[in-house]
Amino acid sequence: MDGLDGLKAKYLTAVAQAAHEAALEEVRLAALGKKGEISALMGSLGKMEPDARKAAGAAMNLLKDEIDAALRAKKAALGDAALDERLRSEWLDVTLPGRPRRMGTIHPVSQVMEELTAIFADMGFAVAEGPQVESDWYNFDALNIPPEHPARQEHDTFFMHRAEGDNRPPHVLRTHTSPVQIRAMTEQGAPIRVIAPGRVYRMDMDQTHTPMFHQVEGLAIDRDISMANLKWTLEEFCRAFFEVPSVELRFRASHFPFTEPSAEVDIRCSWDGGQLKIGQGDKWMEILGSGMVHPKVLRAAGVNPDEWQGFAFGMGIDRIAMLKYGIPDLRAFFESDLRWLRHYGFAALDMPNLPGGLSR
Ligand code: PHE
């Protein structure tokens, strides 16, 4: 049958020319689909004489099988070609160096904690830690602040809940890092040299106060440590931290229940045209409280005050971060505003260290 040969040639050519799987499917539908040309021909068999039908039927089945086989072969070939193409275009050279991707930034408070840890480590201070939910004994009593002491009111303390019927004094959110003095001395005894950076809490909220803020406690106990050692340590720290050739500190007599004598410390600075400069000028900025550790505090922590003495200080981390990096509003520290973090934040993998330069 000439007609069948023509059809065969037509569809085999179409199969050969199909450039992708969708085109091939169109050829399949046109030939063998329900309404395809060959299907239609086979439908016409019913009207033929039995003998003719037999011969034509066999020929048509042969044709159908041939086209079907060609379609399948082409489909497999197209699939292989698509895979080859993907392998060619989607390769990845795993030996290439990584592409740097911005991962977010280090918060100025974290940066400053790393910086001051590096500076104090260089002076022989280890890092000590304590819990943020603290017993009132560690937060107050052991620091020579008995229950009736007015300093308890001044601390604007957050109290934790007690279970119904539990009449013990409630735990508190620590109001300062000073309880870590007690914990460190109780655990390690004397001599000891530690700093304790961390979060503290007071019920207070305005442009310069947030209910949570950060302090770093310093504690150095040995046989003959004096206020002179305190002064040198703080001056060394401030020079290194503010990255200036010299600083001037002013010690003002003050009072804390846990130190005797006590001093608040101011740093010389200037505010010219809204620009803060540390180390020169005619202004003073308070940055910390300090003093010689009270004998009662040593005794509460199991250290014999006849044998040991030393200094302690507590410094506001957020405050010195604002001073060093010119950040005007404390509240912005804790608003998690991405634009603020990108502006004031620090590169994630730059660990501050003294030889490398603290803040670069
Ligand atoms: N704990 C004091 C405060 O929160 C600071 C301080 C610490 C003062 C150590 C003296 C010695 O203000």
Side-chain angles (χ1 to χ4, degrees):
M1 286 176 96
D2 287 352
L4 290 191
D5 283 344
L7 277 179
K8 176 174 166 182
K10 171 179 166 188
Y11 282 111
L12 289 185
T13 308
V15 166
Q17 285 171 350
H20 46 78
E21 294 194 24
L24 191 64
E25 177 65 7
E26 265 172 43
V27 177
R28 190 187 70 78
L29 287 174
L32 306 179
K34 237 183 225 149
K35 295 187 180 138
E37 205 169 356
I38 292 172
S39 309
L41 262 184
M42 295 185 91
S44 70
L45 284 173
K47 296 183 198 116
M48 292 185 171
E49 293 300 314
D51 282 350
R53 183 197 304 160
K54 207 171 172 190
M60 281 184 202
N61 270 327
L62 194 65
L63 172 64
K64 187 179 148 222
D65 288 348
E66 271 180 300
I67 294 177
D68 190 52
L71 281 165
R72 283 172 198 280
K74 178 73 180 197
K75 186 165 182 172
L78 283 177
D80 286 351
L83 182 60
D84 283 347
E85 178 54 29
R86 276 187 63 189
L87 289 173
R88 219 186 347 269
S89 62
E90 295 180 12
W91 60 272
L92 176 71
D93 184 349
V94 295
T95 66
L96 282 176
R99 275 176 226 153
R101 196 150 53 95
R102 206 169 151 85
M103 295 197 304
T105 58
I106 300 295
H107 194 283
V109 168
S110 304
Q111 167 78 13
V112 164
M113 283 198 190
E114 297 290 346
E115 291 180 17
L116 60 86
T117 302
I119 298 169
F120 280 112
D122 196 52
M123 293 195 265
F125 286 77
V127 172
E129 281 181 315
Q132 294 174 41
V133 176
E134 190 54 283
S135 76
D136 76 332
W137 188 82
Y138 278 109
N139 195 78
F140 295 121
D141 299 72
L143 290 161
N144 195 30
I145 313 175
E148 65 285 358
H149 197 288
R152 287 223 182 187
Q153 275 69 60
E154 285 160 24
H155 275 223
D156 303 314
T157 312
F158 286 107
F159 294 95
M160 306 298 288
H161 264 302
R162 271 280 181 224
E164 193 95 30
D166 186 341
N167 292 322
R168 289 172 300 172
H171 279 60
V172 302
L173 290 180
R174 67 179 181 191
T175 57
H176 50 179
T177 42
S178 297
V180 187
Q181 287 186 36
I182 308 297
R183 290 183 175 275
M185 282 191 283
T186 307
E187 280 162 26
Q188 303 171 34
I192 187 173
R193 235 185 282 176
V194 290
I195 58 164
R199 297 182 165 189
V200 300
Y201 302 84
R202 290 183 202 175
M203 240 181 288
D204 212 348
M205 182 72 168
D206 59 32
Q207 195 176 348
T208 52
H209 296 90
T210 49
M212 185 279 294
F213 58 105
H214 301 82
Q215 284 188 336
V216 57
E217 195 79 5
L219 174 72
I221 304 290
D222 212 320
R223 296 199 184 271
D224 47 21
I225 287 192
S226 71
M227 288 289 273
N229 299 122
L230 170 66
K231 185 159 185 281
W232 181 86
T233 304
L234 292 176
E235 279 169 358
E236 265 318 280
F237 168 76
C238 288
R239 243 172 6 91
F241 177 75
F242 290 109
E243 301 178 71
V244 291
S246 71
V247 292
E248 200 182 328
L249 298 184
R250 179 172 77 176
F251 284 63
R252 268 183 298 109
S254 181
H255 177 264
F256 299 102
F258 31 91
T259 46
E260 180 58 38
S262 303
E264 282 176 303
V265 177
D266 307 329
I267 189 165
R268 187 185 281 283
C269 62
S270 64
W271 278 105
D272 285 337
Q275 256 298 103
L276 181 76
K277 275 214 179 72
I278 298 288
Q280 58 198 67
D282 52 5
K283 296 266 189 305
W284 295 94
M285 179 85 71
E286 182 191 328
I287 53 169
L288 63 93
S290 66
M292 297 301 290
V293 179
H294 198 291
K296 282 191 181 171
V297 173
L298 294 174
R299 211 172 285 125
V303 170
N304 181 357
D306 298 327
E307 222 180 311
W308 306 99
Q309 63 180 34
F311 64 74
F313 61 84
M315 185 159 47
I317 292 181
D318 318 273
R319 166 69 66 91
I320 61 171
M322 291 168 78
L323 289 181
K324 179 165 180 179
Y325 293 112
I327 305 171
D329 189 339
L330 175 65
R331 286 169 298 191
F333 273 67
F334 310 118
E335 279 169 355
S336 303
D337 183 332
L338 273 182
R339 290 163 305 173
W340 186 91
L341 283 169
R342 289 202 181 104
H343 181 75
Y344 287 111
F346 294 83
L349 298 175
D350 270 352
M351 273 297 176
N353 62 75
L354 290 179
L358 279 182
S359 57
R360 252 163 295 186

